[in-house]
Amino acid sequence: MKKSVLFVWACLFCLCGCGRQEENAELLQRSFYNTVWERFDYVRNDVEVKAPTTYNLSMRISFTDDYPYDNFSMVFAVIDAEGNPYRAKGYKFKLKDADGQWNCEKKDDCYTFVLPINKQLQITDPGKYQFKIEQRMPITPIVGVKEIALLNNE
C-alpha cells in the first residue's frame, strides 16, 4: 500500500513539474505562407524597454520540404533608438543530418525548430529598441520558410 501511495505522489510530482511549459512572449513574428523570403527583407519589430531588462531569446522557425538547404544562416541585431547597433551576432544552425534528414519531427507539413539566440541579452537603458533578423542564405529568395518568431523565454 505504501509503495502505491508513493508511486502516485511521484507521478503527480512529475506531472506538475514536467508537464508545465514556460510561457514564451513573442517579440516579433512573420509568416511567409504566401510569399518567399527575399535577401534584404528584414524581420523586425520595435520593443519598448521601460526598465533594465534581461532577455532569454530563442527563435521559432518552420520549414517545409521545399527548403533547399541543410542549415539556416542569419544575423540577429538589436538597434537603439538613434539607429546605432546595440548588439549584433551571426548564427548558423544545422537543420538536417549528414544524410539530409531533418533534425526534428514533421508536424502539420512543417519542421519547426526552436533555436537559442541569446540567453542573457541585457538592455540597461530604457528606450525604444528594434529587434531585427536578417537571413543570410547564399541564394535568395529562399523558399520553404513558413513562419519565424523571436521568443522571450520568461
Side-chain angles (χ1 to χ4, degrees):
M1 179 70 171
K2 275 188 176 182
K3 286 184 181 181
S4 62
V5 170
L6 287 174
F7 177 75
V8 169
W9 278 107
C11 289
L12 287 173
F13 178 78
C14 285
L15 286 173
C16 292
C18 301
R20 196 176 126 236
Q21 294 183 333
E22 290 185 20
E23 289 296 316
N24 298 324
E26 272 188 10
L27 298 173
L28 64 82
Q29 191 278 336
R30 174 99 177 264
S31 174
F32 295 96
Y33 279 97
N34 297 318
T35 188
V36 293
W37 195 358
E38 298 286 347
R39 171 72 175 87
F40 295 104
D41 181 10
Y42 306 125
V43 177
R44 56 181 142 204
N45 191 33
D46 291 336
V47 176
E48 186 72 34
V49 177
K50 296 182 183 194
T53 305
T54 300
Y55 293 94
N56 177 5
L57 301 175
S58 62
M59 180 181 63
R60 183 180 63 232
I61 187 165
S62 298
F63 302 91
T64 65
D65 287 313
D66 297 331
Y67 186 73
Y69 304 105
D70 65 351
N71 61 55
F72 178 70
S73 183
M74 59 162 273
V75 172
F76 171 70
V78 179
I79 300 154
D80 69 16
E82 287 78 41
N84 300 315
Y86 180 80
R87 171 106 18 108
K89 184 176 179 184
Y91 296 88
K92 188 171 186 175
F93 299 103
K94 191 83 172 144
L95 305 174
K96 298 178 183 177
D97 64 19
D99 296 325
Q101 300 300 310
W102 290 92
N103 289 330
C104 72
E105 295 294 318
K106 188 175 191 178
K107 184 178 179 185
D108 298 327
D109 294 325
C110 287
Y111 302 93
T112 301
F113 293 83
V114 177
L115 306 168
I117 299 294
N118 191 326
K119 290 186 178 186
Q120 294 291 317
L121 174 64
Q122 295 181 348
I123 298 180
T124 56
D125 296 326
K128 186 181 274 190
Y129 292 81
Q130 183 181 87
F131 287 16
K132 179 173 85 170
I133 296 173
E134 173 187 354
Q135 60 101 340
R136 303 281 292 177
M137 301 309 294
I139 300 171
T140 61
I142 53 175
V143 297
V145 176
K146 293 302 163 193
E147 290 184 337
I148 187 168
L150 182 66
L151 308 173
N152 185 22
N153 307 300
E154 299 178 54

